[in-house]
Amino acid sequence: GGNHARTPDEDLHRFSESSVTEPPNTPVLRGDPAPDFSFESSDHRWHHLRDLLAQGNVLLVFAPTDVQLRALEAERDALLQKGVLTVAVLDRRDGQTWATPDRLGLHFNVIGDSRAVIASQFNLIDATTRRASPGWFVVDRTGRVRGLRRETLPSAGYLPVASRALGLAGPESVQPVSSR
């Protein structure tokens, strides 16, 4: 071995490796403020989570499949009636992400996170693949996480978990529009 003088390239490589290492993310837990992430929408404008929260409570769903996205669409109106905005965060490039609503007939916000920047802020990175793993977060309009689950998405639907997280009456309490 022995000591050898490093070349400038070796120094540069060492510097770039160390500068990429960020401090570990603090786990986002129930009751914590949600990270106010930014995202580019299909109109190429930048927005933040706080912009979505101005419209109501937010249900963030990470890494859903196309089948799960269609299931979310089926619940969208019921969630909106409870004051919950649906947002899917996809592990896809922007162009693919922005084509997804048209392709699947979705009428809710779909955000691209191809580099898993948003997923990492919510501690949803799979240690093996380094990609986003599934999970969901209910964030109230003040920006606090009121409910969450990592590594899996609900099989029984989002309305019950969002209602429970926000302390809202469950779906069974929805009154019929007309009583006959």
Side-chain angles (χ1 to χ4, degrees):
N3 294 342
H4 76 280
R6 283 194 302 270
T7 65
D9 283 347
E10 286 175 311
D11 278 341
L12 180 63
H13 180 71
R14 282 183 60 244
F15 174 75
S16 64
E17 285 290 315
S18 64
S19 66
V20 170
T21 307
E22 294 181 21
N25 284 328
T26 309
V28 176
L29 303 172
R30 189 176 284 109
D32 288 349
D36 188 28
F37 61 86
S38 59
F39 62 95
E40 188 178 7
S41 62
S42 59
D43 64 4
H44 303 290
R45 293 182 32 209
W46 285 90
H47 305 277
H48 290 88
L49 175 59
R50 66 177 170 263
D51 301 324
L52 298 170
L53 292 170
Q55 302 171 51
N57 304 302
V58 172
L59 167 66
L60 292 170
V61 181
F62 287 85
T65 64
D66 284 357
V67 169
Q68 291 164 331
L69 286 167
R70 285 190 183 103
L72 258 175
E73 176 64 28
E75 287 188 275
R76 183 188 70 94
D77 288 342
L79 284 160
L80 272 176
Q81 287 177 352
K82 295 278 186 184
V84 180
L85 197 64
T86 303
V87 178
V89 183
L90 305 183
D91 187 7
R92 302 176 186 170
R93 289 188 314 278
D94 288 343
Q96 258 186 312
T97 296
W98 298 331
T100 299
D102 285 340
R103 185 171 58 80
L104 298 177
L106 307 178
H107 299 92
F108 55 83
N109 290 297
V110 177
I111 296 172
D113 189 27
S114 64
R115 286 188 253 125
V117 173
I118 299 168
S120 70
Q121 291 179 54
F122 284 85
N123 315 100
L124 284 173
I125 300 298
D126 181 286
T128 309
T129 66
R130 306 297 307 148
R131 298 190 60 146
S133 61
W136 58 266
F137 290 76
V138 175
V139 181
D140 71 18
R141 54 185 336 135
T142 72
R144 293 249 168 231
V145 175
R146 298 284 298 275
L148 64 108
R149 182 83 190 261
R150 291 184 174 89
E151 299 177 16
T152 184
L153 299 179
S155 54
Y158 292 92
L159 188 58
V161 297
S163 296
R164 227 180 355 264
L166 294 165
L168 305 171
E172 63 281 349
S173 69
V174 174
Q175 298 299 312
V177 175
S178 65
S179 52
R180 292 178 198 177

